[in-house]
Amino acid sequence: WCGVVWCGVVWCGVVWCGVDVDVDVDVDVDVDVDVETLFGKMQKFYPQGPAGLRAAIGLAEASSGRDAGALLQKLQGLEGQLKEGLRPARSDREALAEYYFARGGAYEKKGDAKKALEDYLKVSTLYPDPAALGQRAQAKAEALRQANKDLVTE
């Protein structure tokens, strides 16, 4: 075991001697887990770069609770840290995937199915790593399409 790469409310990943391992975890909201403290510690160890962005995304999700508007504001504050380019490094792609997945969830909670679908599709097509997150994004996109038959992205 070498270190925690990401531990969110729904997905955990660890690096075990250089091998990235994805583990799906369903955490009930009522579980007494202080994820804000965990992400705060992660931010101290990784103040910049992809790991820092991932920690900030996790902290934004954990501290916003069910308030989609507050989450969107916090995520908008992180947009300057995004490194989208023609060929971003793997760690950047993973951070981008987590950012767009979190933002898609916030848009979905606010009832903006079109923006949610666009973000889920970004994750599933442009940034499908980690695979578990790409698959969940694809499933959420399909569910939105089924619920909104007339939904079209630009």
Side-chain angles (χ1 to χ4, degrees):
W1 187 89
C2 296
V4 174
V5 172
W6 167 257
C7 187
V9 175
V10 192
W11 179 82
C12 288
V14 297
V15 175
W16 188 17
C17 298
V19 178
D20 195 11
V21 180
D22 296 340
V23 181
D24 284 324
V25 179
D26 290 321
V27 178
D28 193 5
V29 175
D30 296 330
V31 175
D32 187 20
V33 177
D34 190 6
V35 291
E36 286 184 60
T37 302
L38 293 174
F39 283 117
K41 288 180 181 178
M42 188 175 170
Q43 266 191 321
K44 281 184 180 178
F45 289 113
Y46 304 102
Q48 298 176 10
L53 178 59
R54 295 167 91 178
I57 293 166
L59 187 58
E61 286 183 295
S63 64
S64 297
R66 297 177 190 261
D67 186 354
L71 176 57
L72 282 172
Q73 280 186 324
K74 290 175 183 179
L75 291 173
Q76 286 172 348
L78 298 174
E79 284 184 11
Q81 295 181 39
L82 298 179
K83 291 185 179 177
E84 288 187 274
L86 295 176
R87 303 186 106 182
R90 180 176 182 202
S91 57
D92 290 332
R93 287 191 313 263
E94 289 174 353
L96 288 165
E98 289 164 11
Y99 173 84
Y100 287 119
F101 190 84
R103 192 172 77 173
Y107 281 135
E108 188 175 4
K109 286 178 188 175
K110 284 192 81 162
D112 193 338
K114 183 179 178 187
K115 286 184 179 179
L117 178 61
E118 288 173 356
D119 279 351
Y120 291 142
L121 290 175
K122 279 182 184 177
V123 173
S124 64
T125 57
L126 297 177
Y127 311 110
D129 290 322
L133 191 61
Q135 292 166 359
R136 285 199 345 261
Q138 183 64 38
K140 285 194 167 272
E142 288 303 317
L144 280 173
R145 285 186 182 136
Q146 292 298 318
N148 305 282
K149 298 283 187 193
D150 59 339
L151 188 61
V152 183
T153 61
E154 293 176 2

